[in-house]
Amino acid sequence: MAQRSASLAALVGVVLIGMTGFGIFLPIFPFLALDIGATPAAATFAMGAYSLGQLISSPFWGRLSDKVGRKPILVVGLIGSVLSYLWIAHARSVEELGAARMIGGLMAGNVGAAFAAAADLADDKTRARNMGLLGAAVGLGFIAGPALGALLIGETPSREGFALVCYASAGLAALAAAVALFFFRETLSRDARTEQGKARPQRFALLLSRPALARFVTVTFLVIAAQALMEVTFGLWADVELQWGPREVGWTLAALGAGAALLQGGAAGAAARALGERVTLLIGLALFAAGFGGLAVSHEVSTMAASLIALVIGIGLASPALNSLIAAQADERERGVVMGLSQSASALGRVAGPLGAGALLDSVGPSAPFVAAALLMLAALFVALGEPAREAAGAA
């Protein structure tokens, strides 16, 4: 028990440090792209290149983590992040930005490995808690990261300030890799690893044979596509509607992460125990839709803040419940593949979201991506309302 707790604590530390580095970088990227001459549409395409790389590579990393364990994938993925951030610091064109982001995405096997490791350390009673703790680590990373980025960028953004933020992200990714290497203990036993020559679970066969898994993976795609629509356009929207710069955007995203972390660290698990994971997911999705709808009609800080509160609660409730429901559909030998499927759906959503966001923003207006995000969340709510899955089952 103590060993499991220590491994979970190390895993949370790895995710927290790595996501802090990602969070530092996220709010400044649109402004960095505009600074080197990119159009808003090109900026969103470059941002989405990361997710395109992740979409391509996630199944490979998931299968590999079932074979060699979670720890090597964690370390390699974080080293890939270091290289990507360093390249971005020296990028001189939007094409370079996109290529650097693509490399980061191709190497991003650490996210799926982290959630698979959390599932390794859980039983039916602690699965939602473990997913919530990892979600809280992501949320805390989005508190510390954007806040630190807002401090580093300075009052007047410059190329030197952008580079400094990228170096800070690279340093934190390197630190997370060191923590994973020296403090995280492998969670996948040798007996549970898939062996060379033995049949491995196939992604599409799993989806076809398990309708509940297919449904939750579809919900993941819709949720992440909606989030991506917001993430890549929020800074551009705030620039137009509120005349904000990267510092204000960074503090706002930090506040968003703070609320999500508080919910995922405790309240989400309590809600899942009291209401069930499926009901918790449905409530979270409804609040998600309301938050995006509110942003679509916001033109001042007060209405934006109310909308973001709904988003925070939605994120805090829906994300751990969804990850737990997906993990419940896999047995011990399938977790890497199943969580890889989840990450592939996430990556596809992060590709589709920015592609649509740029076109909507340029052709319709700055609020149009939020309208599209609200519609996607309503679609996710409809899909999630399907036949309930067995929440405590090892595999549906």
Side-chain angles (χ1 to χ4, degrees), residues 122-130 269 273 277 392:
D123 54 28
D124 292 337
K125 294 181 179 179
T126 59
R127 187 183 299 111
R129 182 206 66 183
N130 285 12
R273 288 191 296 273
E277 291 164 345

Side-chain angles (χ1 to χ4, degrees), residues 5-393:
S5 297
S7 292
L8 183 61
L11 184 64
V12 169
V14 168
V15 173
L16 172 60
I17 297 167
M19 293 310 298
T20 299
F22 187 80
I24 289 176
F25 167 78
L26 187 62
I28 69 104
F29 187 88
F31 298 96
L32 172 59
L34 294 176
D35 186 66
I36 62 174
T39 65
T44 59
F45 291 160
M47 193 71 175
Y50 176 93
S51 298
L52 179 59
Q54 192 178 32
L55 172 64
I56 294 168
S57 66
S58 286
F60 166 76
W61 292 118
R63 287 193 299 269
L64 190 61
S65 78
D66 283 337
K67 181 180 177 182
V68 304
R70 318 304 184 196
K71 183 171 182 174
I73 310 305
L74 279 172
V75 174
V76 170
L78 289 163
I79 291 172
S81 295
V82 173
L83 298 176
S84 175
Y85 292 135
L86 292 177
W87 189 359
I88 290 169
H90 298 281
R92 291 295 179 267
S93 69
V94 69
E95 291 81 10
E96 272 197 82
L97 283 179
R101 292 286 291 165
M102 172 74 83
I103 292 298
L106 288 170
M107 296 296 293
N110 53 299
V111 180
F115 278 96
D120 293 339
L121 294 168
D123 54 28
D124 292 337
K125 294 181 179 179
T126 59
R127 187 183 299 111
R129 182 206 66 183
N130 285 12
M131 296 302 174
L133 286 172
L134 248 62
V138 172
L140 287 170
F142 277 96
I143 302 169
L148 184 54
L151 291 173
L152 291 175
I153 197 65
E155 291 288 349
T156 305
S158 64
R159 293 308 302 273
E160 292 75 17
F162 288 134
L164 179 62
V165 170
C166 292
Y167 292 143
S169 294
L172 285 168
L175 177 60
V179 171
L181 183 63
F182 294 110
F183 296 101
F184 175 70
R185 303 186 71 171
E186 179 58 60
T187 59
L188 187 66
S189 67
R190 292 192 176 277
D191 290 341
R193 298 180 193 183
T194 55
E195 297 177 12
Q196 187 70 30
K198 286 192 175 181
R200 297 177 296 185
Q202 297 299 309
R203 293 176 291 152
F204 296 114
L206 283 173
L207 290 176
L208 290 173
S209 64
R210 299 179 190 176
L213 176 60
R215 190 167 66 251
F216 294 136
V217 167
T218 301
V219 171
T220 298
F221 164 73
L222 294 169
V223 168
I224 298 302
Q227 283 186 245
L229 277 165
M230 176 199 168
E231 289 169 359
V232 301
T233 58
F234 181 75
L236 301 172
W237 173 84
D239 181 38
V240 172
E241 294 288 348
L242 306 176
Q243 291 74 54
W244 280 6
R247 173 165 282 192
E248 292 86 355
V249 172
W251 286 119
T252 301
L253 291 179
L256 190 66
L262 288 173
L263 281 167
Q264 293 185 83
R273 288 191 296 273
L275 303 173
E277 291 164 345
R278 181 172 175 270
V279 173
T280 302
L281 171 63
L282 295 176
I283 293 171
L285 294 176
L287 288 169
F288 248 137
F292 284 127
L295 279 177
V297 297
S298 294
H299 301 286
E300 55 188 35
V301 173
S302 59
T303 52
M304 178 207 71
S307 301
L308 289 180
I309 288 172
L311 278 177
V312 163
I313 300 173
I315 293 170
L317 293 179
S319 296
L322 182 55
N323 283 322
S324 182
L325 285 165
I326 290 172
Q329 312 310 310
D331 65 28
E332 190 177 26
R333 297 174 187 270
E334 299 171 334
R335 283 177 188 145
V337 171
V338 168
M339 299 315 292
L341 269 172
S342 174
Q343 292 306 309
S344 292
S346 296
L348 183 59
R350 291 191 181 279
V351 172
L355 287 174
L360 287 169
L361 193 146
D362 278 351
S363 61
V364 181
S367 296
F370 299 145
V371 175
L375 293 174
L376 286 172
M377 294 311 304
L378 290 175
L381 186 59
F382 175 79
V383 173
L385 281 168
E387 188 69 21
R390 290 180 296 159
E391 295 175 9

